[in-house]
């Protein structure tokens, strides 16, 4: 995963662009932010001159506004970092170029204890440490309501002779790489009897991408199904009914859905990148990884053919979930803020 950081961060200092590129970014929803970042900083600074405040919590999730006593919880999307349809790789570098220009100012504020940067994973921390050339960045893992609900349940999985359910649950947007799982199932169908089902579920954000996935899944439509815009209870039920959770996203900063699946005692198979692989699975200690669709098909085959092997990773998943569930993120945040700003 470190190579991803090198690919993104190194070209930032020598960014160039073309007229065609400019015409494309003018249509982007992020252009107004990128074009007016300096003005945004100035406006917020001017407004707060007359405000008697102690701390300012920046909720953008990605961009510091460079005022005194600012707290920024950094949680970029996977497409912000290195994958998916972020208009273009050139545009992605432009986005980080805008922020990297303020690295010196950011480091000075950090040295003076006037800016606290907290990331949602060690994976994210490495990226921003390279971007701003500082190690003075902290990590606090997030949690979700589903994690709280799952922590109170005793999980019982299917009997050995029942059909297994493999799921992948996230937003339907390019970059989430659901197509890797579909390709793996097409490969798997030739090697394994149909004693399993696959469900791709999540929020229907990109309809064009959804149509592409449905077309790709036609060869295995008896096995692969889709479910969109689930309620919290429906998502909970799906996690409880499933046996294996496949996380296909590249460079996911943390991956709350992975933890939720572990709470429901699902064996985890994740792409070998991002927070799910580095922070949650610790490079294979608590779940299995893959690099391409062929490896994913082989890993799923091993889990589906061997109930003892599957149960082993289901148990590991629940143990790892309990480690994260016992962490009190709110308390960690309050204690860090108090010590950092000497409150």
């Amino acid at each position: 995963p470190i190579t991803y950081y090198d690919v993104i961060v190194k070209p930032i200092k020598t960014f160039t662009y073309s007229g065609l590129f400019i015409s494309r970014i003018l249509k982007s929803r992020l252009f107004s932010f990128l074009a007016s970042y300096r003005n945004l900083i100035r406006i917020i600074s001017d407004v707060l001159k007359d405000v008697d405040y102690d701390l300012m919590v920046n909720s953008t999730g990605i961009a510091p506004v460079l005022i005194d006593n600012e707290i920024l919880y950094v949680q970029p999307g996977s497409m912000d970092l290195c994958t998916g349809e972020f208009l273009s790789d050139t545009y992605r570098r432009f986005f980080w170029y805008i922020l990297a220009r303020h690295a010196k100012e950011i480091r000075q504020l950090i040295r003076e204890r006037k800016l606290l940067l907290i990331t949602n994973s060690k994976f994210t921390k490495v990226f921003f440490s390279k971007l701003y050339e500082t190690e003075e960045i902290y990590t606090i893992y997030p949690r979700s309501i589903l994690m709280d609900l799952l922590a109170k349940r005793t999980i019982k999985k299917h009997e050995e002779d029942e059909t297994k359910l493999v799921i992948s649950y996230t937003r339907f947007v390019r970059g989430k790489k659901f197509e890797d799982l579909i390709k793996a199932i097409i490969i798997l169908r030739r090697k394994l009897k149909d004693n399993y089902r696959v469900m791709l579920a999540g929020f229907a954000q990109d309809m064009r991408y959804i149509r592409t996935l449905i077309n790709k899944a036609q060869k295995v439509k008896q096995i692969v199904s889709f479910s969109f815009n689930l309620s919290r209870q429906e998502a909970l039920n799906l996690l409880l009914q499933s046996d294996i959770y496949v996380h296909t996203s590249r460079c996911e900063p943390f991956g709350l859905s992975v933890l939720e699946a572990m709470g429901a005692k699902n064996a985890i198979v994740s792409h070998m990148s991002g927070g799910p692989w580095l922070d949650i699975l610790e490079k294979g200690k608590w779940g299995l990884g893959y690099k391409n669709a062929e490896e994913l098909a082989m890993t799923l085959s091993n889990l589906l053919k061997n109930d003892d092997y599957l149960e082993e990773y289901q148990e590991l998943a629940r143990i790892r979930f309990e480690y994260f569930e016992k962490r009190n993120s709110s308390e960690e945040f309050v204690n860090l803020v108090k010590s950092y700003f000497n409150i």
Side-chain angles (χ1 to χ4, degrees):
I2 300 303
T3 57
Y4 282 113
Y5 304 125
D6 294 337
V7 168
I8 302 163
V9 176
K10 284 180 179 177
I12 281 175
K13 304 298 182 183
T14 57
F15 171 79
T16 59
Y17 55 89
S18 65
L20 175 61
F21 171 66
I22 288 296
S23 69
R24 294 177 71 190
I25 68 169
L26 285 171
K27 301 175 183 179
S28 167
R29 61 185 176 84
L30 284 175
F31 176 73
S32 58
F33 164 73
L34 294 172
S36 61
Y37 184 48
R38 290 293 302 179
N39 287 333
L40 177 67
I41 294 170
R42 179 182 56 79
I43 290 168
I44 293 176
S45 298
D46 289 345
V47 168
L48 291 179
K49 282 179 181 177
D50 301 322
V51 177
D52 183 19
Y53 75 96
D54 297 299
L55 298 171
M56 199 283 280
V57 179
N58 178 345
S59 60
T60 64
I62 201 165
V65 293
L66 308 179
I67 65 169
D68 288 354
N69 298 340
E70 176 185 358
I71 304 168
L72 172 60
Y73 187 67
V74 183
Q75 46 181 352
S78 57
M79 288 190 292
D80 297 333
L81 294 181
C82 56
T83 69
E85 298 295 323
F86 195 89
L87 194 61
S88 72
D89 282 332
T90 306
Y91 180 50
R92 184 184 293 109
R93 294 191 183 105
F94 178 51
F95 179 81
W96 294 114
Y97 167 77
I98 294 293
L99 298 184
R101 289 178 62 187
H102 300 277
K104 184 177 180 180
E105 191 174 355
I106 287 169
R107 288 195 301 273
Q108 182 61 33
L109 287 169
I110 289 174
R111 279 195 296 268
E112 296 174 357
R113 296 275 167 159
K114 293 180 179 179
L115 171 62
L116 172 58
L117 293 182
I118 308 171
T119 62
N120 62 348
S121 69
K122 294 175 183 176
F123 173 81
T124 309
K125 177 181 176 178
V126 172
F127 179 86
F128 280 88
S129 293
K130 284 180 174 285
L131 188 72
Y132 296 140
E133 299 176 2
T134 178
E135 293 298 323
E136 190 93 15
I137 300 176
Y138 300 84
T139 298
I140 295 178
Y141 294 121
R143 61 185 299 118
S144 71
I145 294 174
L146 278 182
M147 286 177 64
D148 295 331
L149 294 174
L150 288 163
K152 301 172 183 176
R153 288 179 175 257
T154 301
I155 310 298
K156 183 180 179 181
K157 285 301 179 184
H158 297 177
E159 298 298 329
E160 292 185 3
D161 58 344
E162 289 189 1
T163 300
K164 302 295 189 298
L165 177 59
V166 180
I167 68 166
S168 189
Y169 178 70
T170 185
R171 291 177 297 122
F172 282 90
V173 292
R174 295 187 186 276
K176 295 299 184 181
K177 294 292 183 181
F178 278 120
E179 57 267 31
D180 282 1
L181 179 53
I182 294 173
K183 185 177 179 180
I185 297 305
I186 292 173
I187 296 170
L188 194 60
R189 183 187 58 170
R190 309 184 195 121
K191 303 177 180 180
L192 197 67
K193 64 178 183 179
D194 296 347
N195 65 334
Y196 61 96
R197 294 181 299 112
V198 177
M199 173 76 76
L200 307 183
F203 178 66
Q205 184 170 333
D206 185 339
M207 295 309 299
R208 177 182 287 184
Y209 180 54
I210 289 172
R211 287 193 291 270
T212 299
L213 292 174
I214 291 173
N215 288 335
K216 288 179 180 292
Q218 284 301 305
K219 293 180 180 179
V220 284
K221 61 183 179 181
Q222 296 86 0
I223 302 172
V224 177
S225 59
F226 295 80
S227 185
F228 305 111
N229 303 330
L230 279 66
S231 67
R232 184 180 296 153
Q233 186 59 51
E234 289 171 333
L236 179 63
N237 291 340
L238 178 63
L239 290 170
L240 292 170
Q241 293 165 10
S242 56
D243 300 279
I244 301 169
Y245 179 85
V246 179
H247 191 76
T248 55
S249 294
R250 307 286 199 275
C251 295
E252 189 78 39
F254 181 63
L256 264 177
S257 61
V258 176
L259 271 186
E260 291 167 350
M262 293 176 108
K265 211 172 180 180
N266 285 276
I268 304 299
V269 183
S270 171
H271 185 267
M272 292 179 178
S273 68
W277 183 244
L278 295 178
D279 289 76
I280 299 176
L281 299 184
E282 293 187 327
K283 298 183 180 181
K285 184 177 179 180
W286 306 100
L288 298 163
Y290 72 94
K291 294 178 182 177
N292 51 52
E294 289 74 20
E295 287 188 7
L296 176 56
M298 183 180 299
T299 300
L300 289 175
S301 176
N302 292 336
L303 288 169
L304 291 168
K305 289 190 299 186
N306 190 327
D307 289 315
D308 292 336
Y309 188 60
L310 173 60
E311 186 177 339
E312 175 187 346
Y313 278 96
Q314 289 176 336
E315 293 293 339
L316 285 173
R318 182 65 186 190
I319 292 169
R320 186 59 170 165
F321 167 80
E322 289 172 355
Y323 164 79
F324 280 97
E325 192 277 326
K326 289 174 182 176
R327 296 177 70 107
N328 189 325
S329 301
S330 300
E331 186 175 305
E332 289 179 23
F333 178 81
V334 170
N335 291 338
L336 174 57
V337 169
K338 282 182 176 180
S339 63
Y340 191 85
F341 291 105
N342 196 25
I343 298 174

